């Protein structure tokens, strides 16, 4: 039995043993499933609900920490119900995920302030990603950051 299947069955069995009532999250293998990425789309209501907003400085010093704000629902509020919510927001720098925050339905607003650093001088591309449980993965407009 694969580890992933064991974990799913263990979680499910624990929920049944404890009297049910818990929802077992779907465990996905994102790298293997080739998830489509949507956005940025600021023209449609659906796009504005899902496209992440990223706020970062235009210029930073190499090796020094700085803050980056990522939010889904900035352009238009996104629902936060038991059946439709943003599961996570992440910050990617030069096509690599650097940090990620996850949220439970109805209990977390899909926004995060990340403190990061870039060691190499030059230009870096920052992108925010948000994952909606119904509408998939959405990407922000890329931000070019100058690292001196």
């Amino acid at each position: 039995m694969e580890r992933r299947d064991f974990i799913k069955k263990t979680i499910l069995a624990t929920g049944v043993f404890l009297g049910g009532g818990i929802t077992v999250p779907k465990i996905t293998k994102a790298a293997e499933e080739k998830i489509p990425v949507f956005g940025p789309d600021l023209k449609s209501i659906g796009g504005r609900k899902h496209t992440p907003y990223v706020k970062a400085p235009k210029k930073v010093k190499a090796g020094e920490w700085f803050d980056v704000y990522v939010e889904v629902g900035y352009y238009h509020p996104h629902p936060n119900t038991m059946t439709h919510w943003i599961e996570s927001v992440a910050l990617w720098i030069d096509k690599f995920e650097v940090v990620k925050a996850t949220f439970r339905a109805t209990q977390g607003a899909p926004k995060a302030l990340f403190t990061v650093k870039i060691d190499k001088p030059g230009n870096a591309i920052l992108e925010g990603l948000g994952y909606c449980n119904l509408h998939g993965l959405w990407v922000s407009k890329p931000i070019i950051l100058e690292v001196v």
Side-chain angles (χ1 to χ4, degrees):
M1 175 182 304
E2 284 189 38
R3 183 173 186 264
R4 186 173 304 279
D5 291 333
F6 173 78
I7 291 171
K8 281 201 267 188
K9 289 177 182 174
T10 303
I11 291 171
L12 183 59
T14 304
V16 171
F17 178 74
L18 294 174
I22 63 169
T23 304
V24 179
K26 180 181 177 192
I27 298 173
T28 61
K29 298 179 187 178
E32 296 173 15
E33 291 183 9
K34 306 249 182 190
I35 297 174
V37 179
F38 303 100
D41 172 11
L42 300 179
K43 294 183 180 177
S44 70
I45 292 289
R48 290 198 311 264
K49 286 181 188 179
H50 292 96
T51 299
Y53 166 77
V54 178
K55 183 177 180 183
K58 294 186 186 308
K59 184 190 249 186
V60 297
K61 290 184 180 178
E64 289 190 8
W65 297 99
F66 63 96
D67 291 337
V68 179
Y69 177 76
V70 181
E71 178 181 353
V72 173
Y74 175 86
Y75 301 108
H76 192 280
H78 187 280
N80 191 0
T81 66
M82 290 301 289
T83 57
H84 188 192
W85 76 97
I86 297 298
E87 289 186 12
S88 64
V89 296
L91 175 66
W92 286 55
I93 300 176
D94 292 332
K95 302 293 180 188
F96 292 97
E97 183 179 83
V98 177
V99 287
K100 181 178 185 178
T102 58
F103 308 98
R104 295 194 180 271
T106 74
Q107 297 180 343
K111 53 178 96 174
L113 182 65
F114 299 119
T115 302
V116 296
K117 69 177 177 173
I118 301 172
D119 293 323
K120 185 178 170 184
N123 286 338
I125 299 172
L126 276 60
E127 294 174 298
L129 276 86
Y131 185 78
C132 174
N133 73 312
L134 292 181
H135 303 110
L137 190 60
W138 289 75
V139 66
S140 70
K141 293 190 282 187
I143 293 179
I144 307 294
L145 178 70
E146 184 182 355
V147 183
V148 293

